[in-house]
Amino acid sequence: MLFWIFVAILTAAVAAALLYPLLRGAHAGADDRAGEAAVYRDQLRELDRDRQQGLITDGEAEYARAEIARRLLAVSGGVAAGDPTKPSARRRRVAEILVILCLPAIGLGIYLDTGSPELPAQPLQARLDNPGNDVGILIVKAEQHLAKNPDDGAGWDLLAPIYVRNMRLGDAEMAYRNAIRLIGPSAERLNGLGETLVAAADGVVTADARATFEAALKLEPQNFRTRFYIALGKEQAGQYPDAKGDFEAILKDSPANAPWLSLVKQHITLNSGPPVAIAPGNPTEQQVADAQAMSSDDRTQMIEGMVAGLDAKLAEDPNNIEGWLRLVRSYTVLKQPDKAGEALKRGLAVFPADSAGGKQLLALAAELGLSTAGASQ
């Protein structure tokens, strides 16, 4: 019932808003005609005074009276204001009928055909009781349950990957840690936590993430995903021989048709020598093939050119945290610690130490052994 009352009030408000210009126009037209008729009546009185004073002859007065009378009849005597037979009045009447009757009737017909008038009101609690496929409501319902039952490890375990899919990485980390604390570690939970930490760090395998993956590997030694992240963490930390050995072991143990073989081969090439290992970003297959065909000096020159190009791009557009992370890592691997420290300082000038980007830069500096003294000032 409240719904229909609301609909009636809303319909009346819309009709009033549409009728106002029409009614205002009708009144304005009537006011204009009344004013014009008053002018003509004043002219008749002035004509009588002029005649009495002898300013005009009787013939001239009669001629002028006939003309003024004709105009007066035209505005007030021929067709009365508001006469429904007048064309403009008829058009207004049709418009008023359309607004008052037809538009509400059309709207109601469309709603009855396509809407759900029989559907009862659904307050929040009702939606929580029957969430259907609404992921947002499912999350709210799970959060309400966990607020009352914070020791429900299975609930945290169920909610953590949902948080990840919705890019709520901070909440996902909390959920994974609660699940691990309450119902114990498993390879799946530890890998989920590790990947969440990597995603929060924009692809950097932080020390915390690497330790998490190493714990997962102890529980499931042949998990290729876990082994890949550990090898990637070693690569990012500049431990190229160890990283190459890990990637080669993954390649050896993987099935012949494994979808990750191409990526693993690229990382084996990248870790085959320091120059190739520090190529900024993810190199294309063509770049990897070109690097394999080059001599050591040529590869070094190519990579130094890539790093210099990245540095120049960051000077023009510094709002790129991934670029600063790559630049700091690249200068470190090129054994140019002064340039790495300078890049770190420049990056922290754009992304302060207390920001998300600044925290990533400081974490990378700690992994690479760079001094942060004065860099975050």
Side-chain angles (χ1 to χ4, degrees), residues 248-272:
E248 288 177 337
I250 293 173
L251 180 64
K252 179 181 178 181
D253 296 339
S254 297
N257 59 347
W260 56 81
L261 292 183
S262 176
L263 181 60
V264 170
K265 291 177 181 178
Q266 289 184 21
H267 281 279
I268 291 174
T269 301
L270 290 174
N271 289 277
S272 295

Side-chain angles (χ1 to χ4, degrees), residues 10 43 96 120 124 158 244 351:
L10 185 61
Q43 288 179 352
E96 292 169 0
L124 177 60
L158 178 66
K244 179 184 177 183
F351 298 94

Side-chain angles (χ1 to χ4, degrees), residues 3-56:
F3 171 76
W4 292 111
I5 293 174
F6 174 76
V7 169
I9 294 174
L10 185 61
T11 302
V14 173
L18 294 175
L19 286 173
Y20 178 72
L22 297 174
L23 297 175
R24 183 180 180 184
H27 290 313
D31 292 341
D32 290 343
R33 288 190 295 273
E36 191 174 354
V39 170
Y40 292 143
R41 293 190 183 97
D42 289 340
Q43 288 179 352
L44 288 173
R45 285 191 290 269
E46 290 178 3
L47 183 63
D48 289 338
R49 287 194 297 269
D50 290 344
R51 182 179 181 182
Q52 292 173 2
Q53 295 173 6
L55 298 177
I56 59 175

Side-chain angles (χ1 to χ4, degrees), residues 306-325:
M306 295 173 66
V307 175
L310 176 61
D311 199 335
K313 289 181 179 179
L314 290 173
E316 296 177 0
D317 182 16
N319 193 27
N320 181 354
I321 183 59
E322 181 62 26
W324 289 113
L325 293 170

Side-chain angles (χ1 to χ4, degrees), residues 193-212:
L193 174 59
E195 290 182 335
T196 300
L197 296 173
V198 172
D202 285 342
V204 176
V205 182
T206 63
D208 191 8
R210 184 169 166 181
T212 302

